[in-house]
């Protein structure tokens, strides 16, 4: 599923809501415009529109993998380090540091301008890029590097793909190693 255009959001959100209902996925309550705006003002950012609409219309988080109940789409209010939200995300292509874990400097760079969506353990997370040229895309971050989910996806495409493929989702199937 691709990066959707704003004119596609209504249809995509309708499919997501239908999928959530059909699969009986318990969602956290939707957020109010005031809650989202307060978060944005506090951190001096504007959330990508697809993610923003998801929070306002679908829900503020959920558990994503049946086999791993601790894996959850984090609520916006989650206690997260936020000192780098407004800093520009510095990458446009994947970056692999090598066989050694990321240096502290590189780790700090890959977290600039991102919002953690889900921590899947073993040093791996999915991050929503909220600043820079890849704003709106979901990237994977691990101790060896960072890469976009392939095919490149925005939040709505990333979530819809999970709804379609469930626990068997392969966000890297098209990645050109």
């Amino acid at each position: 599923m691709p990066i959707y255009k704003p004119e596609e959001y209504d249809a995509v959100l309708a499919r997501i809501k239908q999928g959530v209902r059909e699969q009986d996925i318990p969602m956290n309550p939707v957020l109010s415009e005031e809650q989202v705006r307060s978060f944005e003002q506090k951190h001096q950012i504007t959330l990508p529109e697809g993610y923003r609409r998801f929070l306002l219309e679908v829900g503020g988080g959920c558990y994503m993998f049946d086999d791993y109940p601790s894996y959850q789409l984090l609520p916006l209010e989650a206690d997260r380090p936020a000192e780098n939200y407004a800093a520009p995300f510095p990458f446009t292509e994947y970056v692999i540091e090598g066989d050694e874990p990321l240096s502290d400097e590189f780790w700090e760079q890959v977290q600039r301008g991102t919002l953690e969506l889900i921590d899947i353990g073993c040093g791996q997370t999915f991050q929503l890029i909220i600043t820079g040229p890849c704003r709106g895309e979901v990237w994977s971050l691990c101790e060896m590097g960072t890469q976009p989910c392939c095919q490149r996806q925005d939040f709505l495409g990333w979530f819809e793909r999970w709804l379609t493929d469930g626990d068997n989702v392969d966000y890297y199937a098209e990645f050109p190693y």
Side-chain angles (χ1 to χ4, degrees):
M1 282 151 206
I3 296 174
Y4 289 112
K5 296 178 178 78
E7 58 269 17
E8 298 172 292
Y9 289 170
D10 288 339
V12 174
L13 286 162
R15 286 193 307 266
I16 288 173
K17 289 177 194 176
Q18 179 179 352
V20 165
R21 276 191 308 275
E22 288 173 356
Q23 296 179 43
D24 198 28
I25 298 169
M27 298 295 298
N28 294 350
V30 296
L31 301 181
S32 69
E33 177 66 33
E34 183 178 315
Q35 289 172 300
V36 173
R37 196 172 326 122
S38 174
F39 181 88
E40 291 173 328
Q41 289 172 348
K42 177 180 177 182
H43 300 293
Q44 300 176 354
I45 59 161
T46 300
L47 294 170
E49 189 62 24
Y51 178 65
R52 196 174 201 288
R53 287 199 50 195
F54 180 92
L55 295 172
L56 295 169
E57 299 175 36
V58 180
C62 68
Y63 290 99
M64 293 187 69
F65 296 98
D66 293 336
D67 294 338
Y68 306 97
S70 63
Y71 293 178
Q72 65 172 311
L73 177 61
L74 293 171
L76 189 61
E77 307 86 15
D79 185 25
R80 317 170 196 210
E83 62 274 2
N84 291 322
Y85 281 164
F89 183 70
F91 305 106
T92 57
E93 297 296 328
Y94 74 93
V95 179
I96 305 299
E97 265 280 280
D99 293 333
E100 298 298 319
L102 294 174
S103 65
D104 289 342
E105 178 183 335
F106 190 79
W107 191 255
E108 187 273 324
Q109 282 184 331
V110 297
Q111 293 186 52
R112 287 183 196 156
T114 68
L115 179 69
E116 184 178 312
L117 295 172
I118 184 171
D119 181 340
I120 58 174
C122 298
Q124 299 177 54
T125 64
F126 285 104
Q127 307 281 122
L128 176 64
I129 309 303
I130 55 177
T131 63
C134 294
R135 183 177 185 276
E137 293 182 14
V138 175
W139 283 42
S140 171
L141 171 62
C142 73
E143 63 183 19
M144 299 302 166
T146 189
Q147 70 183 51
C149 292
C150 296
Q151 92 200 68
R152 286 182 183 252
Q153 298 173 45
D154 63 6
F155 175 81
L156 295 177
W158 177 81
F159 192 85
E160 188 175 31
R161 188 162 188 174
W162 170 74
L163 272 178
T164 302
D165 296 348
D167 290 353
N168 297 317
V169 67
D170 182 358
Y171 289 113
Y172 312 107
E174 303 92 6
F175 191 71
Y177 287 103

